[in-house]
Amino acid sequence: MKNNSTKIIAFLLIAILICACNAVKRVPDGKSLLVKNNILVNGKSTNDETASNQMYQKPNGKLLGYKLRLNLYNLANLNPDSTYQAKFKNNPGKYERMSKIFSAKQVDRLGQSFYYKGIHEFLKNTGEPPVIIDTSKTRKSLLRLKYYYFNNGYFNVQTDYTIDTVGKKRAAINYNITTGPAYKIDTIRTKIMTPALDSLYRTNNEPSLLKSGNQYKTTDFEEEKNRITTYFRNHGAYYFQPTYVTYDIDTIGKKAKADVTLIINNNTIQERDSSRTEPFKLYTISDVNIYTDYSAANSKKKPTDSVSYNNFNLYSYKTLKYKPRAITDAIFITKGSTYADFRTTLSSRYLNNLRIFNYPSIQYEVDKRDSTAQSLIANVYLTPRKKYSFGATLDLTHSNIQDFGIGASVSETIRNVFNRAETLEISARLNVGSSRDMANPNNNFFNVSEYGLDLKLNFPRILLPFGTEKIIPKSMIPYTSITSGFSKQRNIGLDKENFTGGISYNWTPKRHNTAKLELLNAQFVRNLNPDNYFNVYTSSYDDLNGIGKDYNVNPINWGDTTEEQARKDLTIPKGTTGFTNDVLTGQTALTSADSQYQEVESIEERRVRLTENDFILATSYSFTKTTKKDLADNNFYQFRTKIESAGTLLSVVSEIGNLQKNSKGNYEIFNLEYSEYIKTEFDYIKHWDFGKEKVLAVRSFFGIAIPFGNSNYIPFSRSYYGGGSNDNRAWQPYALGPGSTNAINDFNEANMKIAASLEYRFKIFGDVKGALFADAGNIWNVLDNVIDSKARFDNLNDLGEIALGTGFGLRYDLSFFVVRLDLGFKTYNPAHEKGDRWFKEYNFGHSVLNFGINYPF
């Protein structure tokens, strides 16, 4: 029966595909389906994407060479209502019989059901109608191609087209382009009517985009026009616009060359029904007026409170609520300075970054007090946000720890706390979730939980006892954040309490660069249930218990047993602790030369490391540079680096204070060993946009954390792991490495990581995108106390343990975020023996399905 069902399903699928494969099913007689556009430039085919984008008609889209959407459209009944009614016209008795069983109204409504109508509406809307050749659109495409090549210097371009029949009701269009010679720029002259602008132009050190010998391109002329406009407007020419820049192109008597004259006319002033011209004026700022509580309601009222501070005039329609410097520090337009667009933009950015005002409005007016009419008054209109704002969120979450979670948070923002534009954010959060990786003796679905409280106080300046303006000027929009937080996890591993606090400085050295200095970052992690270790890290328990069955000499470690019940499981935690102590103190037959002894020693080392409370006091610096202009930019690179040092300050204090070391030879603060290490990371991302929503994305990452001084290992919260939806997608989180150990432990981590990913993204149809990816990388232990040679990185030969995962994915773009599904296959698994690592588990049974939000990089 099962085989018959399989055959029936296969037969139906084949039948559907055969019917759907009739691509010309809905192409009228005498018409042709467009199958291809061929652009032939001087007799040779071109793949110029910009030229292809000039087409008014393009062939139906394909998925892996198959016109899926066209065939879905062809499956649809375009007139389901008429088809349904025709059933009864051809067989009137059928309607009467059905009306006796159902009411007439129900029979009519049946025609609107999904079976009769809905499925066809779905196929029609999801599909794509056939692209039928329209010669009027072909001629429009040809004209656009002519303009395209003309604008690239081919002034003598000739165009025509032919249509070739390539099958039944199928045809291709050949666009034939004969370019002729490409014209190049010869002599460049200028004709600037306003002497002040002519002087500015000649003293401008920025290189022109128009150069003698370059091929003529209209885009270069437009960009040069914008460059000149930007320069003039940043040097006082308030009324200057790009329309004042024109060009005279002279090709008379030239062979494939063009003389260019750049013309800048005088300012045109419109006066009622007439206009006049006069030379442009360069303006200076005579006054800066700041309205701190402006609104449409009080726009016609006079301010009731004012103050002058550092040549700024601050006004308020009520009592002024801000320290003057808090506002003036954010404004780069100053009295006596030359008008400049960039100062307006920078002021708007800084004011918006304060987060206490809506987006500001900055307007200029000519100062009537100046007889030369070359002064501007800058009016800055600020509309305050509410002093108190409340927010609440409810989220469905997925993370490396939780398979499913429900999170809720509430927050309160208080603005202008100390009347210097500070903001205080107080937030509380609660999360409950489900995890297959956690101990769950009661088999509860929601077996993990976390709640926490966070405070963040932002100052719109560098908060230090000395000035930093020369190092970090206010044009870099600096701000200081002081944070503190508390969170508590239950049923997550050993259960934890996490206390954090710190102070950091943030600034923007350039438009797309950011820098952050965390002067102090303190974290105290307290394990609430360390005795639960072997219930959580079950693989470690299984290894220890297996050794215990052979070498345990103390029946107490098996609990209440008799001699006949020996070789039972070690109890947790009494039995595991007792047996480990017996082995390491020589109370069993094992010696330090035995592999089982070394394994017990390794298990105990990991247990101590993961159950000890951690105290981390770190300082770090991170820098990010990106060329990404906006969210739609898919041709950019991003570089991020970070260096972090922990414990060094505490060691200096301990040595100066001549503090005593504990029995391990380490210093303690509040009876707790603090962590000491240095950590550095490098992350590089590059995207190439090939057009037509095809993007190649590459990411590389290297990170290492080296313990020293007061530590011989890295805290779990600062270590690296491999696998997961944003890493190597062929492995589950924490299931890759370290090295070639085959992830023998639960939650495998290490202190060095190498990773690289490549992903090719493409459009399938509509908002559905696809991806092919390859992820490589692994984690290792280096320069710490791990003794397992398979987990350590000892030399460059260990690079042969870099794992490789490949796969494919689907993405659905919801505009505000992307839902992602990736299926990864283990292509090269270093956990296997050498020579047996390639494609050993390359099948669906060992594949990993990852769910993610947004792109992985």
Side-chain angles (χ1 to χ4, degrees):
M1 182 65 184
K2 183 177 180 181
N3 290 336
N4 289 335
S5 299
T6 303
K7 292 177 181 178
I8 292 171
I9 293 172
F11 175 80
L12 290 174
L13 289 175
I14 292 171
I16 291 172
L17 287 173
I18 290 173
C19 294
C21 283
N22 183 12
V24 296
K25 177 180 178 181
R26 301 194 187 281
V27 177
D29 293 336
K31 300 291 184 179
S32 296
L33 177 73
L34 176 61
V35 296
K36 191 175 183 181
N37 285 322
N38 295 315
I39 301 176
L40 303 173
V41 180
N42 299 321
K44 294 182 179 180
S45 179
T46 180
N47 292 321
D48 186 341
E49 184 186 345
T50 307
S52 297
N53 288 336
Q54 310 305 313
M55 302 293 102
Y56 275 93
Q57 282 190 304
K58 294 182 180 181
N60 291 98
K62 294 181 180 180
L63 175 62
L64 302 177
Y66 179 71
K67 296 181 179 180
L68 176 63
R69 294 188 66 197
L70 171 60
N71 289 316
L72 287 175
Y73 184 87
N74 285 340
L75 279 174
N77 183 345
L78 301 184
N79 298 292
D81 291 333
S82 300
T83 303
Y84 183 73
Q85 293 171 6
K87 290 173 55 177
F88 303 113
K89 288 181 180 179
N90 298 330
N91 189 359
K94 186 174 183 179
Y95 185 86
E96 295 177 1
R97 290 193 299 272
M98 290 185 66
S99 297
K100 291 179 180 179
I101 301 173
F102 309 101
S103 68
K105 186 177 181 180
Q106 288 176 321
V107 175
D108 293 337
R109 289 179 60 186
L110 185 61
Q112 303 299 313
S113 66
F114 179 78
Y115 177 78
Y116 284 101
K117 185 176 181 179
I119 188 172
H120 297 288
E121 292 291 333
F122 170 78
L123 291 171
K124 186 170 65 173
N125 294 332
T126 305
E128 180 184 44
V131 178
I132 299 171
I133 292 177
D134 182 339
T135 54
S136 65
K137 292 181 179 179
T138 303
R139 287 190 292 270
K140 289 181 179 179
S141 298
L142 195 67
L143 185 60
R144 289 180 66 173
L145 281 170
K146 185 173 184 177
Y147 288 150
Y148 169 69
Y149 284 98
F150 185 91
N151 288 331
N152 279 278
Y154 300 100
F155 296 158
N156 300 319
V157 61
Q158 299 293 322
T159 61
D160 64 14
Y161 73 90
T162 58
I163 298 176
D164 292 342
T165 301
V166 295
K168 183 182 179 181
K169 293 186 178 182
R170 292 176 171 86
I173 303 177
N174 301 314
Y175 293 92
N176 302 304
I177 314 296
T178 304
T179 62
Y183 276 71
K184 294 184 178 180
I185 298 174
D186 193 9
T187 304
I188 302 175
R189 302 182 180 89
T190 60
K191 185 179 179 182
I192 304 176
M193 303 300 186
T194 301
L197 295 188
D198 186 54
S199 178
L200 275 178
Y201 182 85
R202 297 183 187 284
T203 57
N204 185 3
N205 294 323
E206 296 178 358
S208 172
L209 297 172
L210 302 179
K211 296 181 180 178
S212 180
N214 285 1
Q215 183 173 332
Y216 177 97
K217 290 185 178 180
T218 301
T219 53
D220 289 345
F221 285 80
E222 291 299 316
E223 290 178 8
E224 175 67 4
K225 182 185 293 188
N226 293 332
R227 185 190 72 86
I228 292 171
T229 302
T230 299
Y231 182 78
F232 285 169
R233 288 185 61 85
N234 281 333
H235 289 79
Y238 174 65
Y239 285 107
F240 194 84
Q241 298 295 330
T243 53
Y244 286 103
V245 182
T246 59
Y247 302 96
D248 179 55
I249 312 296
D250 183 10
T251 61
I252 298 175
K254 297 282 185 178
K255 187 176 181 180
K257 289 185 177 181
D259 290 336
V260 176
T261 301
L262 185 150
I263 302 170
I264 299 178
N265 292 311
N266 283 332
N267 188 17
T268 300
I269 301 173
Q270 193 70 31
E271 294 179 339
R272 296 184 180 179
D273 297 331
S274 63
S275 62
R276 62 182 177 86
T277 61
E278 65 176 28
F280 280 96
K281 296 176 181 178
L282 302 184
Y283 289 87
T284 57
I285 305 300
S286 57
D287 270 319
V288 182
N289 300 324
I290 306 170
Y291 299 87
T292 62
D293 55 353
Y294 178 81
S295 67
N298 57 29
S299 59
K300 296 182 180 180
K301 298 179 182 178
K302 291 185 178 181
T304 58
D305 194 5
S306 64
V307 65
S308 293
Y309 176 81
N310 280 356
N311 291 322
F312 291 94
N313 304 315
L314 289 88
Y315 299 98
S316 177
Y317 296 93
K318 297 180 182 177
T319 303
L320 190 65
K321 298 179 180 179
Y322 309 95
K323 300 286 185 182
R325 185 181 173 185
I327 307 299
T328 60
D329 275 357
I331 296 176
F332 298 84
I333 309 162
T334 57
K335 184 175 182 178
S337 65
T338 301
Y339 166 82
D341 266 356
F342 79 90
R343 290 195 177 98
T344 306
T345 303
L346 199 56
S347 299
S348 296
R349 284 180 54 208
Y350 202 136
L351 287 165
N352 189 58
N353 198 61
L354 293 178
R355 298 175 58 198
I356 61 173
F357 302 107
N358 294 327
Y359 199 82
S361 173
I362 301 177
Q363 300 176 14
Y364 295 88
E365 61 179 296
V366 176
D367 191 347
K368 297 178 181 179
R369 298 170 298 180
D370 183 1
S371 59
T372 65
Q374 288 186 255
S375 299
L376 294 174
I377 297 174
N379 296 311
V380 182
Y381 298 99
L382 304 177
T383 303
R385 297 185 185 184
K386 294 181 180 179
K387 186 176 181 65
Y388 302 95
S389 62
F390 176 80
T393 62
L394 180 66
D395 301 309
L396 300 180
T397 60
H398 169 80
S399 69
N400 297 322
I401 294 178
Q402 293 183 99
D403 301 307
F404 174 77
I406 299 176
S409 65
V410 294
S411 63
E412 180 74 17
T413 300
I414 306 173
R415 298 181 175 87
N416 200 34
V417 180
F418 307 118
N419 293 332
R420 295 192 64 183
E422 303 86 355
T423 57
L424 174 64
E425 301 174 33
I426 305 171
S427 61
R429 64 185 187 279
L430 171 66
N431 180 281
V432 293
S434 174
S435 175
R436 292 169 295 179
D437 297 323
M438 299 301 166
N440 191 8
N442 298 323
N443 199 30
N444 296 324
F445 180 76
F446 289 110
N447 61 323
V448 296
S449 64
E450 179 181 2
Y451 61 87
L453 180 68
D454 298 292
L455 289 90
K456 184 177 183 180
L457 182 59
N458 287 326
F459 297 85
R461 65 193 70 88
I462 297 295
L463 205 63
L464 283 172
F466 52 88
T468 60
E469 179 66 22
K470 292 183 179 180
I471 305 173
I472 307 175
K474 70 175 187 176
S475 60
M476 295 184 180
I477 314 183
Y479 67 94
T480 303
S481 291
I482 299 176
T483 61
S484 64
F486 165 76
S487 66
K488 188 169 185 176
Q489 298 174 343
R490 301 290 298 178
N491 302 322
I492 300 179
L494 310 177
D495 299 341
K496 295 179 183 294
E497 286 182 341
N498 190 23
F499 301 86
T500 59
I503 178 170
S504 64
Y505 306 106
N506 305 263
W507 65 95
T508 307
K510 293 184 179 179
R511 184 70 175 90
H512 296 289
N513 298 353
T514 58
K516 181 178 181 179
L517 173 64
E518 287 189 287
L519 184 63
L520 291 176
N521 183 325
Q523 181 181 25
F524 172 55
V525 180
R526 178 187 173 200
N527 293 300
L528 302 178
N529 191 10
D531 290 343
N532 196 41
Y533 177 82
F534 284 110
N535 286 323
V536 175
Y537 297 87
T538 55
S539 60
S540 295
Y541 173 77
D542 292 340
D543 291 342
L544 183 67
N545 190 47
I547 299 172
K549 288 184 177 181
D550 292 332
Y551 293 97
N552 181 41
V553 295
N554 190 346
I556 296 177
N557 295 332
W558 285 317
D560 298 328
T561 63
T562 63
E563 290 295 329
E564 291 77 15
Q565 294 175 312
R567 293 177 57 83
K568 297 294 183 181
D569 294 333
L570 297 172
T571 58
I572 301 174
K574 186 176 180 180
T576 52
T577 302
F579 175 65
T580 300
N581 289 336
D582 290 344
V583 171
L584 300 181
T585 56
Q587 303 300 312
T588 68
L590 294 172
T591 66
S592 59
D594 295 324
S595 60
Q596 293 93 336
Y597 180 98
Q598 295 172 6
E599 187 170 357
V600 171
E601 187 178 36
S602 178
I603 291 171
E604 178 63 7
E605 171 272 321
R606 179 173 166 82
R607 186 197 68 81
V608 170
R609 178 156 58 95
L610 297 185
T611 58
E612 278 189 342
N613 297 332
D614 293 324
F615 179 60
I616 304 168
L617 184 64
T619 299
S620 68
Y621 172 78
S622 57
F623 174 80
T624 301
K625 176 181 176 63
T626 182
T627 59
K628 190 177 179 71
K629 298 175 183 177
D630 51 49
L631 292 175
D633 187 0
N634 279 317
N635 200 9
F636 70 95
Y637 74 85
Q638 177 180 300
F639 173 74
R640 183 187 67 85
T641 185
K642 180 179 181 179
I643 184 167
E644 177 179 322
S645 175
T648 306
L649 178 63
L650 294 176
S651 288
V652 171
V653 172
S654 299
E655 290 178 4
I656 293 176
N658 198 25
L659 301 181
Q660 296 297 315
K661 295 184 177 181
N662 60 18
S663 59
K664 298 179 183 179
N666 294 330
Y667 290 114
E668 292 184 347
I669 298 291
F670 307 119
N671 296 321
L672 180 67
E673 290 184 16
Y674 57 85
S675 297
E676 189 170 10
Y677 61 85
I678 187 167
K679 181 179 183 180
T680 186
E681 295 178 349
F682 301 92
D683 193 1
Y684 180 78
I685 296 172
K686 172 67 177 173
H687 285 204
W688 290 272
D689 190 344
F690 299 128
K692 298 180 181 179
E693 300 191 53
K694 296 177 182 177
V695 177
L696 180 66
V698 173
R699 180 190 182 189
S700 59
F701 176 87
F702 174 77
I704 186 171
I706 302 173
F708 67 96
N710 213 57
S711 297
N712 56 6
Y713 61 84
I714 300 299
F716 184 87
S717 61
R718 294 295 203 271
S719 59
Y720 299 106
Y721 70 90
S725 61
N726 294 325
D727 195 65
N728 198 318
R729 286 162 278 186
W731 278 263
Q732 296 283 2
Y734 297 97
L736 174 60
S740 59
T741 59
N742 198 20
I744 57 174
N745 298 309
D746 304 280
F747 304 102
N748 296 273
E749 40 75 45
N751 65 325
M752 187 179 88
K753 180 175 182 176
I754 298 175
S757 293
L758 181 147
E759 184 168 287
Y760 177 65
R761 302 165 185 168
F762 52 91
K763 179 179 179 179
I764 297 179
F765 60 83
D767 293 326
V768 179
K769 314 293 174 64
L772 301 174
F773 62 83
D775 300 321
N778 206 337
I779 56 174
W780 293 268
N781 288 91
V782 59
L783 300 175
D784 63 1
N785 64 344
V786 173
I787 60 176
D788 188 350
S789 60
K790 289 186 176 182
R792 296 200 311 263
F793 188 94
D794 297 316
N795 51 60
L796 293 179
N797 292 330
D798 290 328
L799 292 176
E801 297 173 346
I802 290 180
L804 175 64
T806 57
F808 58 90
L810 292 174
R811 291 95 168 83
Y812 187 76
D813 192 346
L814 295 172
S815 70
F816 48 93
F817 69 87
V818 175
V819 177
R820 174 166 53 93
L821 286 176
D822 290 318
L823 188 64
F825 297 87
K826 296 177 178 64
T827 308
Y828 179 85
N829 191 347
H832 298 301
E833 295 297 325
K834 293 182 178 179
D836 199 25
R837 293 176 173 178
W838 284 100
F839 301 106
K840 183 71 174 178
E841 300 168 306
Y842 200 86
N843 52 61
F844 283 98
H846 291 91
S847 64
V848 175
L849 181 64
N850 292 280
F851 171 80
I853 300 296
N854 292 327
Y855 291 104
F857 53 90

